[in-house]
Amino acid sequence: IINETSEKFKVSIRNIRRKYIDLVKNSEKDKTISIDESKKNQEDIQKSTDNSILEIESLAKQKENEILKV
């Protein structure tokens, strides 16, 4: 159950990442932001995504260990 739930959260985070990267790309395409800003924003979004996924994995592992101790 823990693994299923954590995987659902990771998929949700990836979907959110895709949504915001598309928004950034559309802004770049519409010339609202520069290419450099677009790349920086995409990198920031990816870093946030990676950090969130690592945190979910860590919490899932902690919970799994907690359950196994009982």
Side-chain angles (χ1 to χ4, degrees):
I1 294 173
I2 292 170
N3 290 330
E4 290 175 19
T5 305
S6 67
E7 191 59 39
K8 287 179 186 177
F9 280 116
K10 288 190 268 186
V11 168
S12 295
I13 289 171
R14 289 184 193 114
N15 288 336
I16 293 168
R17 176 195 62 197
R18 188 177 315 115
K19 175 185 171 186
Y20 282 98
I21 284 183
D22 287 345
L23 285 172
V24 168
K25 286 181 179 180
N26 286 337
S27 293
E28 177 189 339
K29 194 167 134 184
D30 295 340
K31 308 257 188 246
T32 309
I33 61 173
S34 69
I35 295 172
D36 292 337
E37 286 178 300
S38 173
K39 296 294 180 194
K40 184 184 180 317
N41 288 337
Q42 289 179 46
E43 288 172 7
D44 290 344
I45 292 168
Q46 185 61 47
K47 284 179 189 175
S48 294
T49 301
D50 292 342
N51 290 338
S52 297
I53 288 176
L54 285 174
E55 188 170 341
I56 288 171
E57 289 173 350
S58 173
L59 290 171
K61 200 171 280 284
Q62 285 175 355
K63 193 65 174 173
E64 187 175 318
N65 290 335
E66 182 182 311
I67 290 171
L68 290 175
K69 285 182 183 177
V70 174

